[in-house]
Each structure stands twice: as C-alpha cells, then as structure tokens.
Amino acid sequence: MQKALKEKGLAQSTINNRIQVVKRVLSLSYREWDWLDLPLDGKLRKPSPKNERHIYLTELELGELLEAVPERYKVERQVILLAMLTGMRRGELMGLEPGNVYDGRIVLRPNQTKNGKPRVIPLSDEAQPLVASLPFDTTGDKVRGAFEKAREKIGRPDIRFHDLRHCYASLLASKGETLTSIRDLLGHSSMTVTSRYAHADPTRWDGVVARLPRISNQTATRH
C-alpha cells in the first residue's frame, strides 16, 4: 500500500494520514462491527515522516518578505502579515469572520480548525488592526499569488506559505515561550509535533546544567 502511494508522489505525512484512516476502519471492523475475526489494525505501521520542513525565517527576513509583496496586493499583504503574527493556516485566515474576534483575540470554532477543536489566539498591537474589517476581500489563490511574487523577489523560492506558521512558533520559542503554550497556540494535538521548535531556545537548558554538582570538588570536601 505504502509503495503504491509513494509511486504516486505522495508525501510520507499524507500517506500516514491515509494509513490512519485504514487502521481506524480495521479497528471498528473487529471491535464494533464484528466483521473480522482478528484485530488487524496493529499490522499497519506508520513510518516517521522524512519530508518534515525546517525553514525558519528571522524577524529581519520576515520583514523583507513582507516588504516584497507588490503594492497592488494590499489585502493579501494583510493576510500574509497576520499569518506571521498568529501562525494561522491560510484556510483558517480566509475563513475569518467578525464573530471570530473577541476582546483582542481570535477565537476559532471547532469547524474552523484542522483538528476540530476550538482555539484562541491572542492578537498583538500590530495584528489587531488587520482584523478590523473581516472577512478579507480576497481569495486564497490571490494570497498565494502575492506570496509567491514576494518570495521570488527576495530570491527564496523554497519558502512556502505554511512555513510562516513554523516561523511564528520558532520566534515564540526563541523569546522563551514554553512548548506547551506554543502547542496550544498552534492547535497541535500532542507535544510530538511541537517539540520540533525546542531548538529555537538554546537558553532553556541553562537552568538545568546550573543544578549539576561540581564533581571535581567532591574529593576535596572529604579531606
């Protein structure tokens, strides 16, 4: 099954999602529907995705990308900036309505998120004016077009719109925000996905090593 899907050019993460659906059907067939005599869902295993992207732009690089959005794409530029400031997916941004903004926060309903769970995203002072006139008067295709022109202008054709989500999380980690907070802000279902941003805050280990004893002094204190 996996070999056939790979030959179609599907990413490993996409293949894993499809395998998960099959596993669920097999589990129900044995445990709920009594269609199978043996539990077969355990026979399917999901390899770890090898196509994970690790592209993180600095604050300066994000600013250059935003500046490179052509002038005629005013609304699209707002969408791109809001993606940088909230880590929201493009589909979530395009689905925003006035009712999603409450008390300086974006509140996403279960039907607006990928995992079907509500999510609350605080808005910075820079982000709040961007949601003053929702919904955005543009389309996802226009936003993608504006983004692609901007990345070409700065010579970074490797950047994808979804990478802005990773940049948001990485910047939060670099400022010392906890991984649990980043998990909740991004709407991850577990810490496994969020842990990829741990590298962005090298100072998080300073307090750990500070608690280590001084080994070289141990023998001296005994005499």
Side-chain angles (χ1 to χ4, degrees):
M1 176 181 176
Q2 292 192 47
K3 183 178 179 181
L5 293 175
K6 284 184 178 180
E7 290 176 350
K8 291 183 178 180
L10 296 181
Q12 186 62 58
S13 57
T14 302
I15 295 174
N16 285 353
N17 290 337
R18 297 192 178 187
I19 290 177
Q20 187 61 38
V21 173
V22 176
K23 285 172 64 70
R24 177 59 177 163
V25 172
L26 289 174
S27 176
L28 290 172
S29 297
Y30 173 71
R31 294 175 174 81
E32 302 290 339
W33 303 332
D34 200 25
W35 290 355
L36 298 174
D37 295 327
L38 296 172
L40 300 179
D41 52 303
K43 300 292 184 180
L44 291 177
R45 300 184 182 277
K46 300 186 299 180
S48 299
K50 296 181 179 180
N51 59 309
E52 289 185 356
R53 294 173 56 80
H54 297 276
I55 294 180
Y56 307 109
L57 304 183
T58 64
E59 296 171 62
L60 178 60
E61 290 171 327
L62 287 170
E64 292 175 344
L65 176 65
L66 185 67
E67 185 67 24
V69 176
E71 183 65 25
R72 65 182 183 275
Y73 291 107
K74 294 184 182 298
V75 177
E76 291 74 19
R77 184 181 187 276
Q78 291 181 326
V79 177
I80 293 171
L81 177 56
L82 190 59
M84 295 177 178
L85 298 174
T86 63
M88 293 175 63
R89 300 177 177 88
R90 188 176 62 184
E92 293 173 341
L93 291 163
M94 299 311 302
L96 286 178
E97 304 170 348
N100 288 122
V101 181
Y102 178 77
D103 197 22
R105 301 175 181 85
I106 289 178
V107 181
L108 296 179
R109 298 183 291 273
N111 66 331
Q112 292 178 300
T113 63
K114 182 178 180 181
N115 62 6
K117 297 180 180 179
R119 190 159 96 249
V120 178
I121 308 162
L123 294 170
S124 65
D125 292 340
E126 185 180 12
Q128 291 193 33
L130 303 175
V131 297
S133 56
L134 295 175
F136 290 112
D137 186 19
T138 184
T139 65
D141 288 340
K142 288 182 179 180
V143 172
R144 182 175 65 248
F147 180 82
E148 290 176 350
K149 291 184 186 311
R151 71 180 184 183
E152 289 171 7
K153 186 174 181 179
I154 65 172
R156 290 296 304 271
D158 58 310
I159 303 172
R160 299 177 186 174
F161 190 91
H162 193 76
D163 291 330
L164 301 182
R165 180 171 164 83
H166 301 317
C167 294
Y168 168 78
S170 181
L171 288 175
L172 286 178
S174 70
K175 302 301 182 183
E177 191 52 69
T178 65
L179 292 182
T180 51
S181 294
I182 295 173
R183 175 199 62 193
D184 294 340
L185 287 170
L186 292 181
H188 290 158
S189 57
S190 71
M191 286 294 294
T192 303
V193 180
T194 315
S195 62
R196 75 173 71 180
Y197 307 112
H199 74 282
D201 182 18
T203 63
R204 64 195 289 263
W205 301 119
D206 293 350
V208 176
V209 297
R211 290 193 289 271
L212 287 172
R214 293 182 63 85
I215 305 300
S216 59
N217 289 349
Q218 295 303 307
T219 54
T221 57
R222 294 173 56 187
H223 298 288

